[in-house]
Amino acid sequence: MGVVKKQIQRIKYISQFLAKPLWNYWGNTTYQRTVSYTRKLKKAAIEQHTILYEYFHGKNIGDNPYALFLYLVNHPDFKHYTHVWVVESLNHRSVEHLKAYRNVRVVVLHSKRYLHYLTSAQYLINNTTFPPYFQKKQGQIYINTWHGTPLKTLGKHMKGPLGQHKNIQRNFFQADYLLQPNQYTADKIVQSHDLEGLYEGLIVNEGYPRMDLLLHSTFTKEELQRTIPIDLTKKIVLYAPTWRGNVNDVASTMDDIIASLRAMQNSMPSDQQLIFKVHTLLYKQLQDDDRLRQVCVPDWIDTNELLAVVDVLITDYSSLLFDFLATGRPLLFYVYDYLEYEATRGLYLKMKEMPGPLCYTPSEVLSHLHDLESVQRHYQARYREVQATFSALDDGEATKRNVEIIFGGKRTDNCYTVNNDGKTNILMYCGGFLNNGITTSAINLLNNIDYARYNVAVVDKGSYDAVSDANFRKLHPNVKTFYRVGAMNTTLLESYGHEYVVRKGLINKRGKRMLQPALYERERARLFGDTHFDVVIDFSGYVPFWTLVFAFFPSHHKAIYQHNDMGAEYEKVIKGKRKHVKSLNIIFPLYHYFHNVASVAEHTRNRNVQNLACFLRKEQAVYVHNAINPQKLLEQKSNGEVYLHSNERYLLTQYEAEQGTLHLEGVTLPHKEHINFVTMGRLSPEKDQKKLLLAFNEIVKAYEHARLYIIGEGVLEKELKSLVRQLNLQSHVIFTGQLANPFLLMSHCDCFVLSSNHEGQPMVLLEALVLGLPIIATDIAGSRSILQEGYGTLVTNDIHGLQDGMRQFIEHPLTQKPFHYHVYNEKAMKMFYRTICGVSQPKELEQQKQTLAYQR
């Protein structure tokens, strides 16, 4: 019966395995598109002299791509080129407009024909981004023009969620050319998207092609009149606000804009008329208002051609203002939400320095419209200054210059690469920035690196919870950041291979045969484009996806970290299950693809070599101590909110004022008359706080004034609190939970205790040493590597050992060597440079060779 049951389970498992990719393919449009795209990516031949144009995800035909298109389609040297435009729908009015031109094809976004040209067109031109599944293939040339001079912040400078610019940044790194309207914009694009020292393409600062549409426009007021009812005898005042809010929240933005429009419409000067142009989402909403719809400029009219017939522009934070500078006509800034917008989005430039009056109400706008001569006179000098900074290249020849560079191979002084000054480029994955020792050690390492010699980037997930967000923001400001967006481009066959590896690992021969290197190499190219990294470091060593991607990186040197006794981690049981077996079954066999497998302590390295001999070659195995950040730690020791209540001092862990009510949470600070022990770490089996509580229970029987603070959270929290109640230790044991700054509390304690069963190199011991705390720790490899020379007390790894250590501390205070943390940190960083980076510094090694040759 047992055999039959096993056979049934096996058949069920195989059926599920075979069905999953097929089910995804037929039931998931996104996955189906990914498979189709990948197939074309692998097989489609490059179609020479074919150009794909995309404007705001197919919303319309316009902007810089349109200007380039008009130049190329009408130029005799490019008459043999095929032009492919991307649109949302073939019913769009702009499609009719394209029928006047020869060699033009139109494809719908995400359609099969779109996928074909996206993978086969020789040239790709976009003013924003291609979808997350896009990746440039060999032989394609990608020109990203972006769409304006930024007044509001971009990329990582934007306030709000981390990584909201991830697909934009990814597109920039795929691009061969980034077209810029001025040096200011070029600098902001590079800085805000971490391109400096990494981007391999050309920055082309020769002006925006779209400005030629304005300066050479043949668009007339009569043509506009055929679209919306305007009076040809009156001046045209255009209101063009920037987009606010998000795609799912149009209503709140609409209310503000509609109210403003109606107020202005009702009191316009007699010789002026108001029209407006808004974001696509708002445009669709405004169609329900008859009066406003009549003066709302349709999407299909190009904005720069429209500006040619506009007499006055009212805007706010839109880059449109910089384009309008070329006309020399009056500008008004209606910034009713200035303080809110600056606080929630952020601005690069000060609005008071703009070449026009700032208006906060419709009545202020109307007041200036009634006296435009005074506006022009008052802002004349500032207008010229802003023009000189942002519009110097707007001479009507920008398209020609850009075309000569892209299609003719011409180079000017305004074409350049973002040089990394001979630095070694390093890419790291740090483990998701959870609350754990890996995150702490990664942040410390990145805060200690010499950024004059190393160009460091960190890649991570694309979305964050409050914990990982807070930890990620602790990174050194010089660290460049990448965020994963989208999914791997895969074929059905590769999906089966990857699915098998995820389910069964790489331990067996079949798993090794099912490994799909091409899939992970492709994912590397999708995420990073042509970016070259000299060194890649899987600093986590626990996440199979990133280990698979890093294993097949074409870098000079690849390293993966072991932050623990990995054999013990493999066997670790949480809630009846071995937590890491599935992932380590993938990761252990991948050690073969790394130059170095780095433990964080010598004793830990030796245990890993012994326990993982079938996966780890002895020459691969190295050890590199964790770095620390003593200065920041000592600053935190003195920081924290302390609240006095009923003669009791509390360390505030949370305090929030809401609707007139103050909510406080805190932890009792240690009393000097008590003997205060403290421990910190995840509440999980390998930390074995249960063993510590059982030992502490015996201490309390003899020493009533003993207290134990437990800092941290984890899967065993309920079990440990239950044990405290069973032992009747509620008045002696204080669970603090996770603390943003635990060091103030630790510094008020008398002795640190670590009860772990296995560790790599416990960061918390190093932190306790910096604070000057006496230490008691179980005698395991990781703790021994730190304390063995007299920096703390090592005890046997059992209840009696911990009990004896704590009793000895109470009766005869421990003496331990002073910890010279600056010396330790210098050694740790030298180990990192020498062991992880030193093997693969071809730029520095070449410089050294040249220096030696010169000296000889």
Side-chain angles (χ1 to χ4, degrees):
M1 190 68 181
V3 175
V4 173
K5 188 176 181 180
K6 285 184 178 180
Q7 290 286 0
I8 292 172
Q9 288 177 339
R10 180 172 173 79
I11 291 169
K12 184 178 179 182
Y13 176 85
I14 292 172
S15 299
Q16 289 175 342
F17 171 73
L18 293 173
K20 185 176 179 180
L22 285 173
W23 181 262
N24 282 342
Y25 185 77
W26 295 115
N28 186 322
T29 304
T30 302
Y31 178 69
Q32 193 176 98
R33 182 189 300 138
T34 297
V35 171
S36 299
Y37 175 80
T38 307
R39 191 183 302 123
K40 293 177 184 296
L41 189 68
K42 293 177 69 176
K43 295 183 178 180
I46 299 296
E47 296 184 14
Q48 300 296 316
H49 307 127
T50 297
I51 308 172
L52 177 79
Y53 304 86
E54 187 171 318
Y55 163 85
F56 282 124
H57 316 297
K59 172 184 121 174
N60 192 11
I61 296 197
D63 206 83
N64 291 309
Y66 182 52
L68 289 166
F69 164 75
L70 287 178
Y71 182 92
L72 293 166
V73 80
N74 291 305
H75 198 290
D77 290 349
F78 299 95
K79 62 184 179 181
H80 56 295
Y81 276 65
T82 299
H83 308 272
V84 182
W85 269 101
V86 180
V87 294
E88 288 179 334
S89 168
L90 292 176
N91 296 324
H92 199 284
R93 172 74 178 268
S94 57
V95 175
E96 291 295 318
H97 177 61
L98 291 173
K99 290 181 179 178
Y101 300 100
R102 56 186 296 276
N103 293 343
V104 175
R105 299 170 188 174
V106 180
V107 299
V108 176
L109 185 70
H110 301 312
S111 67
K112 289 183 178 179
R113 293 188 71 212
Y114 174 73
L115 299 183
H116 168 75
Y117 284 111
L118 192 60
T119 55
S120 64
Q122 183 183 8
Y123 295 94
L124 306 167
I125 300 177
N126 202 319
N127 82 324
T128 177
T129 63
F130 288 115
Y133 58 79
F134 162 75
Q135 60 185 97
K136 186 186 66 177
K137 66 191 292 184
Q138 189 172 1
Q140 289 188 305
I141 299 167
Y142 178 14
I143 303 99
N144 190 290
T145 72
W146 199 235
H147 50 264
T149 294
L151 174 59
K152 50 184 180 267
T153 54
L154 296 175
K156 70 178 186 180
H157 298 154
M158 291 189 293
K159 297 173 183 179
L162 285 171
Q164 54 190 306
H165 63 294
K166 49 187 176 279
N167 194 42
I168 299 170
Q169 180 190 48
R170 196 187 68 83
N171 269 256
F172 286 164
F173 276 103
Q174 297 280 339
D176 298 278
Y177 299 93
L178 297 179
L179 306 193
Q180 307 297 326
N182 46 60
Q183 192 60 53
Y184 161 84
T185 303
D187 293 342
K188 293 302 181 189
I189 289 284
V190 168
Q191 294 160 11
S192 62
H193 293 85
D194 281 331
L195 304 184
E196 192 165 9
L198 295 177
Y199 176 60
E200 303 270 336
L202 273 181
I203 305 290
V204 181
N205 182 25
E206 287 289 357
Y208 261 169
R210 74 183 190 186
M211 289 304 299
D212 297 352
L213 296 179
L214 191 161
L215 296 171
H216 299 311
S217 177
T218 58
F219 187 74
T220 63
K221 290 185 178 181
E222 286 76 12
E223 287 181 83
L224 181 62
Q225 188 186 46
R226 289 196 286 270
T227 306
I228 57 175
I230 60 168
D231 186 336
L232 296 177
T233 66
K234 293 183 178 182
K235 290 181 179 179
I236 295 175
V237 179
L238 173 66
Y239 176 41
T242 194
W243 167 245
R244 293 167 172 81
N246 58 63
V247 174
N248 299 314
D249 182 23
V250 181
S252 59
T253 303
M254 282 249 334
D255 293 342
D256 293 333
I257 290 178
I258 288 174
S260 299
L261 284 166
R262 284 176 175 160
M264 286 188 272
Q265 258 189 333
N266 292 333
S267 303
M268 289 292 292
S270 59
D271 64 337
Q272 298 173 26
Q273 58 196 319
L274 181 69
I275 65 173
F276 60 98
K277 190 169 178 63
V278 294
H279 191 277
T280 304
L281 293 173
L282 283 176
Y283 177 75
K284 291 176 181 176
Q285 294 287 323
L286 287 169
Q287 299 313 296
D288 296 332
D289 187 303
D290 291 337
R291 186 180 173 196
L292 294 178
R293 184 181 67 245
Q294 290 183 6
V295 291
C296 186
V297 180
D299 282 349
W300 51 265
I301 292 182
D302 180 76
T303 303
N304 285 81
E305 291 188 323
L306 173 66
L307 290 180
V309 300
V310 168
D311 298 289
V312 183
L313 175 64
I314 305 170
T315 188
D316 41 30
Y317 323 105
S318 172
S319 62
L320 209 60
L321 78 94
F322 297 105
D323 291 26
F324 196 66
L325 288 173
T327 68
R329 299 167 194 157
L331 269 163
L332 305 181
F333 296 89
Y334 179 38
V335 288
Y336 63 89
D337 59 349
Y338 177 40
L339 294 178
E340 179 187 354
Y341 195 87
E342 187 175 41
T344 56
R345 172 62 190 265
L347 299 170
Y348 284 129
L349 301 173
K350 296 177 180 178
M351 291 304 298
K352 64 182 181 181
E353 296 175 356
M354 291 297 101
L358 303 186
C359 309
Y360 302 96
T361 64
S363 60
E364 288 183 279
V365 174
L366 290 164
S367 173
H368 289 296
L369 286 175
H370 279 278
D371 193 9
L372 288 174
E373 288 185 8
S374 294
V375 170
Q376 287 186 288
R377 186 168 55 252
H378 182 76
Y379 288 95
Q380 188 175 33
R382 190 177 302 168
Y383 207 108
R384 285 197 297 266
E385 290 172 7
V386 178
Q387 278 181 320
T389 302
F390 300 105
S391 305
L393 295 167
D394 297 337
D395 58 0
E397 296 294 316
T399 309
K400 180 175 183 290
R401 290 195 296 271
N402 280 287
V403 166
E404 287 174 347
I405 289 165
I406 297 163
F407 295 89
K410 184 179 178 180
R411 294 293 175 266
T412 70
D413 292 341
N414 292 330
C415 298
Y416 61 93
T417 57
V418 282
N419 194 351
N420 75 350
D421 297 322
K423 296 178 184 178
T424 298
N425 287 341
I426 300 174
L427 176 69
M428 293 176 61
Y429 171 69
C430 300
F433 291 90
L434 311 174
N435 273 336
N436 57 33
I438 293 176
T439 294
T440 302
S441 55
I443 292 170
N444 288 343
L445 172 63
L446 292 166
N447 281 329
N448 278 285
I449 281 180
D450 181 358
Y451 290 98
R453 296 168 57 201
Y454 298 94
N455 205 19
V456 185
V458 165
V459 63
D460 203 67
K461 57 197 173 190
S463 58
Y464 295 81
D465 58 20
V467 170
S468 55
D469 181 285
N471 286 329
F472 196 89
R473 293 180 190 274
K474 295 176 184 176
L475 287 174
H476 192 282
N478 285 344
V479 174
K480 295 172 170 59
T481 51
F482 288 82
Y483 307 84
R484 188 171 183 236
V485 55
M488 290 189 290
N489 286 324
T490 178
T491 64
L492 270 175
L493 185 61
E494 288 170 336
S495 290
Y496 277 114
H498 179 68
E499 182 68 16
Y500 187 89
V501 168
V502 169
R503 286 172 177 247
K504 291 293 189 178
L506 295 167
I507 299 291
N508 57 56
K509 290 182 180 179
R510 182 175 293 172
K512 293 176 182 176
R513 288 198 301 269
M514 297 294 274
L515 187 62
Q516 304 289 323
L519 175 62
Y520 310 116
E521 290 169 354
R522 189 182 307 125
E523 178 67 354
R524 186 271 313 163
R526 187 184 74 87
L527 294 176
F528 303 106
D530 296 327
T531 312
H532 172 73
F533 292 99
D534 302 296
V535 182
V536 294
I537 305 168
D538 180 356
F539 192 77
S540 165
Y542 281 93
V543 182
F545 171 80
W546 290 108
T547 307
L548 284 162
V549 172
F550 278 35
F552 300 102
F553 241 89
S555 294
H556 297 299
H557 193 67
K558 294 178 284 193
I560 183 170
Y561 268 68
Q562 295 176 317
H563 289 276
N564 221 315
D565 176 343
M566 299 307 289
E569 285 288 274
Y570 188 83
E571 300 296 339
K572 182 168 73 176
V573 176
I574 296 179
K575 295 184 179 180
K577 293 184 178 180
R578 291 194 292 171
K579 179 183 177 181
H580 296 303
V581 164
K582 195 172 182 179
S583 60
L584 295 180
N585 275 341
I586 301 171
I587 292 169
F588 286 166
L590 291 172
Y591 285 163
H592 170 73
Y593 293 92
F594 290 84
H595 299 93
N596 284 137
V597 181
S599 293
V600 289
E602 183 178 9
H603 293 295
T604 307
R605 187 274 310 271
N606 295 342
R607 284 190 65 84
N608 284 328
V609 169
Q610 179 183 348
N611 295 335
L612 304 176
C614 55
F615 303 112
L616 182 59
R617 300 190 308 276
K618 196 169 183 178
E619 62 271 18
Q620 280 181 290
V622 297
Y623 68 95
V624 178
H625 289 164
N626 284 315
I628 54 178
N629 192 346
Q631 183 177 350
K632 186 173 182 181
L633 194 155
L634 292 171
E635 286 174 2
Q636 288 182 291
K637 169 186 172 181
S638 304
N639 292 333
E641 296 286 340
V642 178
Y643 180 73
L644 184 64
H645 176 69
S646 299
N647 295 321
E648 188 78 47
R649 293 189 310 153
Y650 292 87
L651 171 63
L652 292 185
T653 56
Q654 285 189 348
Y655 39 100
E656 182 180 2
E658 183 181 7
Q659 297 180 349
T661 305
L662 181 64
H663 303 276
L664 301 177
E665 287 187 23
V667 177
T668 306
L669 278 174
H671 289 204
K672 291 183 179 180
E673 61 269 23
H674 293 155
I675 298 294
N676 299 290
F677 294 99
V678 61
T679 189
M680 181 165 68
R682 286 190 312 278
L683 307 184
S684 62
E686 77 279 9
K687 305 294 183 181
D688 207 353
Q689 289 94 350
K690 179 179 179 181
K691 180 174 62 192
L692 175 58
L693 285 171
L694 292 172
F696 185 68
N697 183 49
E698 297 302 314
I699 292 297
V700 169
K701 291 176 182 177
Y703 308 98
E704 173 64 25
H705 62 309
R707 298 291 184 271
L708 174 62
Y709 284 82
I710 299 178
I711 303 172
E713 57 189 20
V715 293
L716 298 185
E717 185 171 344
K718 287 184 180 179
E719 182 181 327
L720 294 172
K721 287 182 176 179
S722 176
L723 178 59
V724 167
R725 288 192 294 271
Q726 290 172 28
L727 298 174
N728 198 27
L729 291 174
Q730 295 95 317
S731 60
H732 294 81
V733 176
I734 301 96
F735 288 90
T736 72
Q738 193 72 34
L739 298 180
N741 172 19
F743 304 115
L744 187 148
L745 176 61
M746 286 175 62
S747 69
H748 281 74
C749 293
D750 302 298
C751 180
F752 186 87
V753 186
L754 189 69
S755 55
S756 296
N757 293 324
H758 62 87
E759 293 269 5
Q761 187 197 32
M763 288 299 303
V764 69
L765 292 187
L766 294 170
E767 290 162 346
L769 286 172
V770 173
L771 293 174
L773 279 174
I775 295 172
I776 300 166
T778 47
D779 190 1
I780 57 173
S783 300
R784 194 181 313 126
S785 68
I786 297 174
L787 305 179
Q788 64 184 352
E789 295 181 10
Y791 293 106
T793 300
L794 292 166
V795 299
T796 57
N797 185 17
D798 53 35
I799 295 171
H800 297 297
L802 288 166
Q803 183 182 323
D804 290 343
M806 287 187 281
R807 181 181 289 112
Q808 182 183 349
F809 173 80
I810 294 171
E811 295 179 355
H812 308 286
L814 305 173
T815 58
Q816 59 190 43
K817 289 172 62 175
F819 181 61
H820 300 292
Y821 45 79
H822 291 301
V823 174
Y824 166 87
N825 221 30
E826 287 176 8
K827 288 181 179 178
M829 291 309 300
K830 284 179 181 178
M831 293 174 81
F832 174 78
Y833 295 140
R834 181 178 65 249
T835 306
I836 303 300
C837 304
V839 178
S840 54
Q841 297 181 57
K843 299 172 188 175
E844 293 182 17
L845 290 174
E846 187 59 35
Q847 290 171 358
Q848 291 171 10
K849 289 177 185 176
Q850 291 175 1
T851 302
L852 287 170
Y854 176 77
Q855 289 173 345
R856 291 193 190 102

